[in-house]
Amino acid sequence: MPRAKRSRGCRSDVAVVKSGDVLELAEGGTVYLAGDADLEAWLDAFNDPSRHRCDGDGRLVIWMPPAFPPCSELALELMLRLSRAIDADGLPIRRFGADARFLLDPEGGRWVTPDGALVLRSRITPRVAALTSGAWPVVPDLAIEVLSPSDQAELSDRKIGLYRAARTPRLWVIDPRSRTVAVWRRGALDTTLTEPDDELELDDLVPGWCMPLRELWAMAP
């Protein structure tokens, strides 16, 4: 855990860490920076002091804790189902877990770590494939986000906003608590699945694959 100390522009009861724009703390989870102008607003919005940090320049960062285990399980099982269908048909699609970083906003340096992602091999250029560290400057063909009980709504909305701004071809925002799945296509909400018989499908990416919501929720009861 970083040692707390006073820093210019930051409250004295907030721990200080040295960071880039986003970092991983030793205890896990993603950290997001807020600009100086947003400091008080962010402190008001996130009233859990254990999630507050500041970098050396006094900018506030918010720590997002790791996923709730059943939510992580659901994302993993969903990716396994997709992977089996991809392998069965020999589709040229690469699959990524929750620790893969995708740079959606190169100019702003903002990236995301989906709970699961699919990327067509044809979209992974030699330049991207040659990278040895950092986030890939690739927008996933499918990004999956499973909302955990510990997620802060405002940060989740900001993350979804990055996907929308990048016009991510397909985004599934899965909320196990409300038993709903929001399906986004290229930045616009296409539909919200709510009924047990409603199906997730990927006909234009994994033809023939589908999953009723009742099966989705059964994977991580």
Side-chain angles (χ1 to χ4, degrees):
M1 173 72 68
R3 179 179 299 175
K5 64 180 180 179
R6 184 181 296 273
S7 176
R8 175 180 56 81
C10 191
R11 288 186 348 189
S12 60
D13 61 340
V14 176
V16 174
V17 295
K18 297 293 185 180
S19 70
D21 283 343
V22 186
L23 69 155
E24 300 290 330
L25 291 182
E27 64 265 44
T30 303
V31 175
Y32 296 85
L33 274 178
D36 293 339
D38 300 326
L39 180 59
E40 291 305 321
W42 280 82
L43 286 173
D44 290 340
F46 300 96
N47 57 15
D48 180 358
S50 68
R51 295 189 180 185
H52 297 163
R53 307 284 192 276
C54 275
D55 72 354
D57 295 322
R59 292 176 298 180
L60 176 70
V61 298
I62 304 295
W63 173 57
M64 290 291 284
F68 183 51
C71 295
S72 175
E73 180 185 20
L74 188 151
L76 177 61
E77 289 294 337
L78 179 55
M79 286 299 296
L80 288 173
R81 300 283 186 96
L82 284 166
S83 292
R84 285 195 285 269
I86 290 168
D87 288 340
D89 291 341
L91 300 174
I93 299 172
R94 291 184 64 173
R95 293 139 276 182
F96 300 89
D99 52 354
R101 303 180 184 186
F102 296 95
L103 186 65
L104 301 189
D105 175 18
E107 290 187 5
R110 290 180 293 180
W111 48 263
V112 295
T113 55
D115 293 312
L118 302 182
V119 179
L120 286 165
R121 291 183 180 275
S122 61
R123 298 186 54 247
I124 301 173
T125 66
R127 181 180 67 86
V128 170
L131 294 174
T132 58
S133 64
W136 271 9
V138 174
V139 177
D141 291 281
L142 169 67
I144 298 171
E145 292 288 346
V146 180
L147 302 181
S148 289
S150 58
D151 287 345
Q152 293 279 1
E154 185 171 346
L155 285 182
S156 294
D157 290 344
R158 285 165 62 93
K159 189 175 185 182
I160 293 169
L162 289 177
Y163 288 116
R164 294 179 61 188
R167 293 180 57 80
T168 305
R170 304 160 192 82
L171 168 64
W172 293 346
V173 181
I174 301 171
D175 189 344
R177 288 168 292 180
S178 65
R179 292 292 200 262
T180 62
V181 180
V183 178
W184 297 79
R185 289 180 179 270
R186 301 197 178 278
L189 181 62
D190 183 59
T191 187
T192 300
L193 307 178
T194 61
E195 301 300 322
D197 289 333
D198 289 344
E199 292 183 336
L200 286 170
E201 56 83 18
L202 278 175
D203 278 348
D204 51 350
L205 190 62
V206 186
W209 183 91
C210 66
M211 176 181 289
L213 289 196
R214 63 164 52 89
E215 289 187 20
L216 180 70
W217 307 135
M219 290 194 300

